[in-house]
């Protein structure tokens, strides 16, 4: 959900009363033509608000609370659940931990000592949705957002989620309202209230059996994704051969 140009201009005048639009664009690293087009259309992208807030040393998550659709965001921020934290660990790191434990280099019940790969990872958005889904999240989210379930599914398959859907998903799931914005890369983990060592702690607390089952689930998702790519590539190859 974009914010209205009027509300953006009012907000901009409060955080930088002496700066022009050109000044803001220069400080925020936004093309002046891009912001100009958004203002003319009457809708300013959420990413523009985030970049502008950062440029003036403000927390974007808190500043989004000045706009309709995100009013409850600042008060709805809390630490992510362990399931959310683990969802943002790549399958490679899960497998690395299994190997490390088999060699007695890591122990269950202790923080993971090796450096985890940055997130979001390849399947971050879908993994997060799966982590917070209590059974009817996808259907409930599609209904509340007024979109077709297949459109939501297409976004998840592509590893995307619009800011409004990310926040609404968190509302439906009853988790921190900033979590969806973190896993979609709109906010940094620090801006969204995610602890720096949270993933290491949550992953380390898994038992060996839980870790193996997690790896199984991750590899199952990866396998299905790769199979789809192979089928699509095969269809493309057949098409070219028929055309040739």
């Amino acid at each position: 959900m974009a914010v209205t140009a009027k509300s953006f201009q009012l907000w901009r005048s409060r955080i930088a009363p002496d700066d022009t639009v050109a000044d803001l664009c220069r400080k925020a690293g936004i093309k002046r033509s891009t912001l100009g087009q958004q203002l003319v259309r009457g809708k300013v992208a959420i990413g523009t608000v985030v970049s502008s807030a950062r440029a003036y040393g403000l927390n974007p998550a808190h500043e989004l609370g000045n706009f309709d659709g995100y009013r409850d965001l600042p008060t709805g921020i809390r630490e992510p659940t362990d399931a959310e934290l683990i969802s943002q660990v790549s399958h490679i790191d899960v497998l690395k931990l299994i190997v490390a434990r088999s060699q007695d280099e890591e122990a269950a019940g202790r923080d993971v000592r090796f450096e985890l790969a940055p997130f979001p990872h390849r399947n971050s958005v879908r993994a997060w949705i799966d982590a917070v889904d209590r059974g009817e999240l996808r259907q409930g989210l599609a209904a509340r957002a007024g979109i077709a379930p297949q459109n939501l599914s297409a976004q998840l398959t592509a590893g995307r989620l619009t800011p409004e859907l990310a926040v609404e998903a968190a509302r439906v799931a009853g988790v921190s309202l900033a979590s969806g914005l973190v896993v979609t890369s709109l906010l940094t983990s620090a801006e969204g209230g995610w602890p720096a060592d949270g993933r290491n702690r949550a992953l380390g607390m898994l038992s060996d059996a839980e870790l193996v089952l997690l790896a199984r689930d991750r590899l199952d998702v990866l396998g299905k994704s790769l199979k789809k790519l192979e089928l699509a590539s095969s269809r493309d190859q057949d098409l070219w051969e028929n055309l040739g």
Side-chain angles (χ1 to χ4, degrees):
M1 178 190 296
V3 303
T4 66
K6 180 178 179 180
S7 63
F8 177 82
Q9 291 284 46
L10 289 172
W11 172 74
R12 181 183 70 82
S13 68
R14 290 198 299 270
I15 67 168
D18 299 323
D19 282 2
T20 64
V21 169
D23 293 330
L24 181 145
C25 289
R26 183 178 65 256
K27 293 179 180 179
I30 303 170
K31 289 184 178 180
R32 188 174 178 180
S33 59
T34 298
L35 179 54
Q37 290 170 1
Q38 293 178 12
L39 293 175
V40 168
R41 290 197 300 265
K43 297 290 184 180
V44 176
I46 295 300
T48 299
V49 177
V50 170
S51 297
S52 301
R54 286 176 181 153
Y56 290 93
L58 302 171
N59 186 312
H62 295 164
E63 295 307 309
L64 284 172
N66 290 287
F67 302 95
D68 290 341
Y70 303 92
R71 300 286 183 185
D72 55 344
L73 181 58
T75 57
I77 296 175
R78 53 184 180 274
E79 283 201 7
T81 63
D82 282 357
E84 290 179 279
L85 291 165
I86 292 170
S87 77
Q88 299 310 297
V89 177
S90 71
H91 69 279
I92 296 296
D93 283 335
V94 173
L95 295 174
K96 283 172 63 177
L97 182 55
I98 290 176
V99 172
R101 284 188 180 177
S102 71
Q103 298 173 344
D104 293 327
E105 295 173 358
E106 294 275 355
R110 299 180 182 177
D111 288 9
V112 173
R113 289 173 292 181
F114 63 82
E115 185 175 354
L116 300 178
F119 72 98
H121 55 77
R122 180 176 182 177
N123 294 309
S124 274
V125 175
R126 180 184 290 275
W128 175 70
I129 288 291
D130 289 341
V132 301
D133 190 354
R134 299 175 182 175
E136 301 293 335
L137 175 59
R138 287 168 171 78
Q139 297 89 329
L141 178 59
R144 288 178 62 165
I147 63 173
Q150 57 266 33
N151 291 341
L152 174 61
S153 179
Q155 286 194 45
L156 296 179
T157 299
R160 299 192 305 268
L161 203 61
T162 61
E164 61 268 26
L165 285 178
V167 174
E168 191 61 32
R171 290 191 184 108
V172 175
V175 297
S176 173
L177 297 190
S179 287
L181 301 181
V182 171
V183 302
T184 54
S185 298
L186 187 66
L187 299 178
T188 65
S189 55
E191 290 168 346
W194 284 42
D197 61 346
R199 294 188 303 153
N200 295 70
R201 179 194 56 75
L203 185 63
M205 293 301 108
L206 294 180
S207 67
D208 290 345
E210 290 171 326
L211 191 62
V212 170
L213 292 175
L214 175 63
R216 179 203 63 184
D217 293 342
R218 292 294 182 82
L219 291 176
D220 182 54
V221 171
L222 178 62
K224 291 177 180 177
S225 176
L226 292 175
K227 188 64 176 178
K228 288 182 180 179
L229 290 175
E230 290 176 358
L231 290 173
S233 178
S234 177
R235 287 195 296 269
D236 289 344
Q237 184 63 33
D238 291 342
L239 176 61
W240 281 111
E241 290 178 356
N242 291 332
L243 290 175

